[in-house]
Amino acid sequence: MSTTHTRSKLHRPVKRLLLAFVSLDSFGSVMVLILATYALSVSVDAAWGQSLVLVLQIATVWLALRIAQARRNVILMASIALALAGVIAVLNVVGVGETDLAAPVFLVSALLYFIAPISILRALISKSQVDQETVLGAIDAYLLVGMFFAYTYMALGAINSPFFQGGEQETVAQALFFSFTTLTTTGYGNLVPAGNPGQSFAVLEMLIGQLFLVTAVAKVINAWRPTRWKAEQPADDAPPDAP
């Protein structure tokens, strides 16, 4: 076997992984959108920017539901939420100002972020083997759980402001930062819920984050056996035959 041919075979898994991040039929594209929306949310503070973040995040959920082949009524709900968020974004861009629809939109977004991980895990459980898509889907589900709690905090803040101690109105960037530091039990302590039910939701997120890592993600990673990688191992690296 030539060296060039061997390297070509070894690079196939890397190529498949890179293609997953640009394919609209792969959970890799969902991960790219999640990371992109997080980056946008922490870099834009204006009201119109937050509305655009909302549109992009709900679009991420819609794509995740489509790839997971969720029920048609769930995808329809995501489409309605996306359209509503788009209207709010347009109103803020043209300078109409804040809208009373903020709390309902955050509630719908939180509901979608609650349904999306369940739909993804249901699709992954039905797979007969653990492959690249299973691993990407499990990671996406974990990230979407963090998104669910972030939008729940935003909804609570919109209903009974403020959510955090200090008296200032919370932003999407703050909610996302607090959600993921809570989900991973990092706990920097710079953002603290002002009271209940926010504190109770934070405790629930910590418990879910740990249980999710121990059960779902850990089991998927442990069960993943990249058989193609082993099958494509160079002949020179193969163990010698037993005498």
Side-chain angles (χ1 to χ4, degrees):
M1 181 182 297
S2 65
T3 303
T4 304
H5 186 60
T6 301
R7 289 179 179 176
S8 176
K9 283 190 173 184
L10 290 176
H11 289 165
R12 287 177 186 175
V14 177
K15 183 178 181 180
R16 287 196 300 268
L17 180 61
L18 293 177
L19 290 176
F21 290 123
V22 296
S23 173
L24 295 181
D25 295 323
S26 171
F27 287 117
S29 60
V30 177
M31 187 181 300
V32 170
L33 288 177
I34 292 174
L35 297 177
T37 52
Y38 185 91
L40 181 61
S41 67
V42 299
S43 59
V44 179
D45 294 329
W48 62 267
Q50 295 178 15
S51 297
L52 292 179
V53 168
L54 178 63
V55 173
L56 188 53
Q57 288 192 342
I58 297 179
T60 303
V61 174
W62 184 88
L63 179 61
L65 293 175
R66 188 185 70 84
I67 296 175
Q69 298 181 348
R71 292 183 177 87
R72 187 173 301 178
N73 58 340
V74 177
I75 298 180
L76 177 61
M77 184 187 303
S79 301
I80 294 174
L82 177 60
L84 183 59
V87 171
I88 294 177
V90 171
L91 291 177
N92 285 331
V93 168
V94 299
V96 174
E98 297 293 332
T99 173
D100 293 333
L101 292 177
V105 167
F106 287 134
L107 287 173
V108 172
S109 301
L111 177 61
L112 292 174
Y113 281 122
F114 175 76
I115 296 174
I118 296 177
S119 300
I120 292 176
L121 293 176
R122 181 177 60 85
L124 298 182
I125 291 174
S126 63
K127 295 174 69 69
S128 59
Q129 62 180 2
V130 176
D131 54 10
Q132 173 181 283
E133 279 300 297
T134 309
V135 176
L136 291 175
I139 297 175
D140 286 343
Y142 183 72
L143 295 176
L144 288 170
V145 169
M147 294 292 188
F148 157 70
F149 279 99
Y151 269 71
T152 299
Y153 300 146
M154 289 299 298
L156 293 175
I159 295 172
N160 187 19
S161 181
F163 178 80
F164 297 115
Q165 292 182 0
E168 296 183 1
Q169 182 66 37
E170 61 279 346
T171 64
V172 176
Q174 289 176 330
L176 285 170
F177 176 80
F178 175 75
S179 177
F180 281 104
T181 54
T182 303
L183 185 67
T184 57
T185 64
T186 303
Y188 289 110
N190 57 331
L191 294 173
V192 180
N196 277 314
Q199 294 175 349
S200 298
F201 271 100
V203 172
L204 179 62
E205 182 176 13
M206 286 185 281
L207 294 175
I208 291 178
Q210 292 303 299
L211 291 175
F212 195 99
L213 286 177
V214 171
T215 57
V217 175
K219 286 184 178 297
V220 167
I221 297 297
N222 289 334
W224 186 27
R225 296 294 183 268
T227 54
R228 290 186 179 180
W229 292 27
K230 293 181 180 180
E232 294 169 359
Q233 186 180 11
D236 294 340
D237 296 336
D241 297 335

